[in-house]
């Protein structure tokens, strides 16, 4: 019987370097012989990608905070059942660019949705699935925004003011402090290579637990 795979999530603010890290970390894990699946939220399924195009499109400025929260969880509920759980069951490792912590940070701290409402949605929609490891790329908001600035038109969430992203950053750090056994906070102001090395070091215990 296959051993269950590991579930790693990447979190952080805009321009923190998640996509860059994900590419390097996947290369590293593949070299170690890990079979893996790389996903993103919102997205990763036909339904999820459709949700993504609606939720992030600046042409929909009037989406309410409640609708935004439900859209994120609609994408997530589908992703968990259609892709993540089946992959973990056959021993694949799943690396996901954002997961449920993003809803607490963006829709909770950012948009002011109550934490207990998000927790209720998590209990219902995520089938009890929690990440084995969450890598939080922590970076000053101004640095992340400067990095992301050259990418063309901002999406519907990226147009928010700095104060929104400061709340998001605080919420992520608070969650990391509350769950130190799951989170590893990585100083993302360092070079991409240093960030990758820190992330690789953070995955070591997942291999130990697998043997
Ligand atoms: N969202 C939500 O509100 N609620 C939820 O529940 C979920 C998501 C799941 C997804 O957008 C949006 O959905 C996001 C939160 C919301 N909105 N915002 N804001 P996305 O997937 O399109 O984008 P993102 O997740 O915000 O990531 P990003 O802005 O694309 O950035 P990134 O992936 O973290 O960074 P990157 O692309 O790897 O790097 C950015 C640039 O910096 C690039 O030029 C790199 O070459 C450079 N870079 C990367 N690392 C470094 C280092 N270490 N040094 C210097 N330069 C670097």
């Amino acid at each position: 019987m296959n051993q269950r795979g590991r579930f790693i999530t990447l979190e952080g603010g805009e321009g923190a370097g998640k996509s860059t890290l994900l590419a390097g970390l996947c290369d590293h894990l593949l070299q170690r012989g890990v079979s893996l699946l790389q996903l993103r939220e919102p997205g990763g399924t036909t339904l999820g990608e459709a949700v993504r195009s609606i939720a992030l499109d600046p042409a929909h400025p009037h989406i309410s905070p409640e609708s935004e929260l439900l859209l994120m969880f609609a994408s997530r509920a589908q992703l968990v059942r259609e892709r993540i759980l089946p992959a973990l069951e056959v021993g694949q490792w799943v690396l996901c660019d954002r997961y449920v912590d993003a809803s607490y940070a963006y829709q909770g701290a950012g948009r002011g949705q109550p934490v207990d409402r998000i927790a209720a949605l998590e209990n219902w929609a995520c089938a009890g699935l929690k990440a084995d490891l969450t890598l939080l790329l922590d970076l000053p908001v101004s640095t992340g925004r400067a990095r992301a600035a050259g990418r063309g038109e901002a999406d519907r969430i990226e147009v928010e003011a700095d104060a929104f992203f400061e709340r998001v950053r605080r919420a992520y750090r608070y969650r990391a402090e509350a769950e130190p056994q799951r989170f590893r906070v990585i100083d993302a102001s360092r070079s991409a290579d240093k960030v990758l090395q820190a992330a690789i070091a953070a995955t070591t215990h997942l291999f130990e637990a697998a043997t």
Side-chain angles (χ1 to χ4, degrees), residues 42-43 46-57 70-72 74-75:
T46 304
L47 183 144
E49 291 299 325
V51 166
R52 182 184 180 90
S53 66
I54 294 168
L56 301 187
D57 186 347
L70 290 169
L71 284 171
M72 297 301 169
S75 171

Side-chain angles (χ1 to χ4, degrees), residues 120-179:
L121 283 169
E122 179 184 2
N123 284 337
W124 176 57
C126 296
L129 179 68
K130 293 196 180 293
D132 298 301
L133 171 67
T134 298
L135 301 170
L136 173 57
L137 300 192
D138 183 55
L139 187 70
V141 169
S142 56
T143 312
R145 300 201 91 173
R147 283 184 189 173
R151 285 186 310 198
E153 193 188 5
D155 70 33
R156 197 180 57 80
I157 294 173
E158 286 168 351
V159 298
E160 291 298 329
D162 282 356
F164 175 94
F165 293 102
E166 295 289 359
R167 291 197 297 279
V168 167
R169 184 184 187 201
R170 274 199 300 277
Y172 271 132
R173 288 159 64 121
Y174 175 81
R175 290 184 66 74
E177 275 174 30
E179 277 189 79

